[in-house]
Amino acid sequence: MVGCQWGDEGKGKIVDVLAEDVNLVVRYQGGANAGHTVHVGDTEFVLHQIPSGILHPEKRCLLGNGVVIDILEFFKEYDDLYNRGIDLDGRIGVSERAHVLMPHHLILDRISEDEAKYKIGTTGRGIGPAYQEKVSRMGMRVADLYNSKRARSLVEESAQRAQEKIASLGADVEKQFDSDLESTLANSKRLVELATDTGLEIIDAIRGGGRVLLEGAQGTALDLDHGTYPFVTSSNTTAAAAATGSGIGPTEIDTVIGVVKAYTTRVGNGPLPTAFDAAMNEKMRTLGNEFGATTGRPRRCGWFDAVLARYSARVNGLTGLAVTKLDVLDTLSDISIATSYRTPEGIIEEFPANTWDLGDVEPIYETLPGWCEPTNGARTIGDLPAPARQYLDRIEELADTPLRMISVGTRRSQIIMV
Ligand code: IMP
């Protein structure tokens, strides 16, 4: 399951529902930058690293090798779930090959952002600096924690490098470093107890006739290669990364569900071609409660962008689409969909690689009638008003992907399976 816009598509809820029919749920990229909000009855859970499958008793959840594990944040989340009565015994595994994100990565993230020419608007969760260390072949992996001497020297070296970089930028955070270092090492013993070979566990589950859900974070337009670079996250968020980030081959994956919101949102910087004007933006932000689950930042909102949806369908090889938050559009009399972009060179139907051009395109819209009645009670596609079905049909057609799920509210029951 992958996000097909700029993240925040409502993936947490879709995972929560799909998790019911699987044995294992696996995160394969990103870190604590994700914020998956799930409602179970009247209780709200916001999960950053642990897959939302954890809210289903008896499901096992894994963090794959492609994830950068924020060790302190991970145990905060773990302990919070435990304190709220979720049984975690034997239910969480972390890849031995996953990299460990340490507190100084968060400091580096914030300082780098302050210094950057183009501000990405990161979540400040240390994602870029942690992946930089991984790609530079200087990172620390969970398997390194087996040897406490080795772990200490890797943590110290990483902290030392961070400190030098921070000092070169004129900042001083020395005191905080020492205590962070010790708490990282203290928590690493706990992490070792959860270490596993995620690829092997997944293959064993599949060979044993089980089902596995690979859960993407962020979205296609934030993918390091396929997104709106440089305004992207530092990992591959798209479906192929589900294989590399969890330790299996691509041939093991038989279904790819792409999640899109019934409109578009974006948090952080970078172009959003279908952005609303200020008044409509404010209205949709309120209707859809569009504030970041991780940072609380207000999200920019816009109409559904079928150019992006079609591109996402292609780069992910989608086999099905899940449309979320349809009910947020219930009160609008007209609803638009961007079908192509007008550029100085002519009309284009493919999502452009040049992010700077994307900021200047003028979307060409098709406008459909709204339905102006509540959809949150619909439980089958037939319960939806005709204009809502027409809207979904058009999304399906433009994205060239069959519709599989529609969400019309925050509760588990408010999902229509198609
Ligand atoms: P980073 O992943 O914190 O480095 O942030 C890079 C970009 O991705 C920024 O624009 C963030 O706002 C965005 N981003 C990261 N994680 C999420 C997410 O879970 N939802 C939406 N946007 C995200």
Side-chain angles (χ1 to χ4, degrees):
M1 188 222 57
V2 288
C4 287
Q5 295 160 323
W6 277 279
D8 306 320
E9 298 92 351
K11 296 181 293 295
K13 180 176 180 201
I14 300 295
V15 171
D16 182 53
V17 171
L18 293 174
E20 203 144 349
D21 297 325
V22 304
N23 306 77
L24 275 179
V25 185
V26 188
R27 264 288 295 275
Y28 58 83
Q29 45 75 224
N33 48 351
H36 290 169
T37 308
V38 182
H39 292 86
V40 182
D42 291 329
T43 312
E44 181 180 282
F45 292 87
V46 181
L47 298 159
H48 297 287
Q49 294 186 95
I50 297 175
S52 345
I54 203 69
L55 302 174
H56 286 274
E58 290 163 32
K59 305 286 173 197
R60 180 155 161 88
C61 295
L62 304 177
L63 274 70
N65 54 280
V67 174
V68 282
I69 302 173
D70 179 332
I71 188 162
L72 300 188
E73 190 61 38
F74 175 85
F75 283 111
K76 242 194 248 166
E77 195 167 322
Y78 186 102
D79 293 340
D80 181 52
L81 284 170
Y82 180 81
N83 291 332
R84 291 171 78 180
I86 309 287
D87 173 21
L88 301 173
D89 199 22
R91 294 189 53 216
I92 300 185
V94 300
S95 168
E96 299 170 291
R97 294 177 172 85
H99 281 247
V100 178
L101 186 152
M102 294 172 254
H104 51 263
H105 292 128
L106 278 74
I107 301 170
L108 274 178
D109 192 4
R110 291 193 200 113
I111 293 179
S112 311
E113 186 79 337
D114 287 345
E115 295 297 312
K117 183 171 174 200
Y118 302 114
K119 305 218 182 296
I120 310 297
T122 72
T123 58
R125 296 303 182 106
I127 304 299
Y131 278 115
Q132 274 173 33
E133 284 210 321
K134 172 177 176 175
V135 174
S136 308
R137 295 159 290 185
M138 293 179 186
M140 179 173 76
R141 303 191 306 164
V142 172
D144 291 316
L145 305 177
Y146 292 146
N147 178 327
S148 56
K149 252 171 87 183
R150 175 159 179 76
R152 177 168 286 276
S153 82
L154 282 169
V155 173
E156 282 175 357
E157 282 160 27
S158 176
Q160 176 72 27
R161 278 194 300 276
Q163 215 157 5
E164 281 164 16
K165 178 142 190 220
I166 290 164
S168 77
L169 296 170
D172 176 19
V173 281
E174 199 161 337
K175 275 210 183 73
Q176 192 182 333
F177 263 74
D178 291 340
S179 66
D180 283 350
L181 205 138
E182 290 311 321
S183 48
T184 299
L185 287 165
N187 278 284
S188 46
K189 296 195 181 83
R190 283 182 85 186
L191 202 61
V192 164
E193 286 165 22
L194 305 177
T196 183
D197 183 334
T198 52
L200 188 59
E201 273 204 46
I202 295 170
I203 292 298
D204 283 347
I206 295 173
R207 299 287 180 265
R211 303 182 80 195
V212 178
L213 173 62
L214 305 165
E215 166 187 341
Q218 291 83 45
T220 302
L222 290 172
D223 181 282
L224 183 58
D225 287 78
H226 303 292
T228 47
Y229 191 92
F231 302 102
V232 292
T233 190
S234 297
S235 65
N236 286 116
T237 59
T238 39
T244 45
S246 64
I248 56 169
T251 46
E252 301 293 342
I253 299 171
D254 54 18
T255 304
V256 184
I257 298 289
V259 187
V260 287
K261 209 180 281 195
Y263 49 101
T264 311
T265 60
R266 178 164 203 178
V267 64
N269 300 333
L272 175 62
T274 61
F276 291 132
D277 62 27
M280 185 64 181
N281 189 51
E282 192 59 37
K283 178 174 171 172
M284 289 301 290
R285 189 181 281 165
T286 309
L287 283 173
N289 190 25
E290 295 297 350
F291 295 90
T294 301
T295 58
R297 291 180 293 175
R299 298 174 184 146
R300 288 178 280 156
C301 307
W303 292 120
F304 187 84
D305 188 339
V307 180
L308 173 59
R310 205 161 41 237
Y311 173 72
S312 292
R314 170 160 61 84
V315 297
N316 287 295
L318 295 188
T319 60
L321 211 55
V323 177
T324 62
K325 294 185 110 169
L326 184 71
D327 55 302
V328 174
L329 304 180
D330 283 353
T331 54
L332 306 185
S333 52
D334 294 304
I335 302 172
S336 296
I337 301 180
T339 55
S340 55
Y341 299 148
R342 195 185 309 282
T343 75
E345 288 75 41
I347 292 173
I348 56 169
E349 291 188 347
E350 296 300 332
F351 199 67
N354 189 326
T355 302
W356 311 106
D357 287 352
L358 188 64
D360 296 329
V361 301
E362 182 198 329
I364 298 178
Y365 291 110
E366 192 174 291
T367 300
L368 285 83
W371 42 94
C372 299
E373 58 176 289
T375 54
N376 56 10
R379 294 296 175 268
T380 68
I381 192 114
D383 296 339
L384 290 172
R389 276 181 279 150
Q390 194 191 341
Y391 181 64
L392 292 168
D393 286 348
R394 194 64 184 127
I395 287 180
E396 183 176 42
E397 187 178 19
L398 288 165
D400 198 19
T401 307
L403 192 59
R404 293 281 178 245
M405 299 167 86
I406 305 153
S407 134
V408 290
T410 53
R411 290 171 182 270
R412 275 180 180 166
S413 58
Q414 289 174 307
I415 286 262
I416 299 171
M417 303 301 283
V418 182

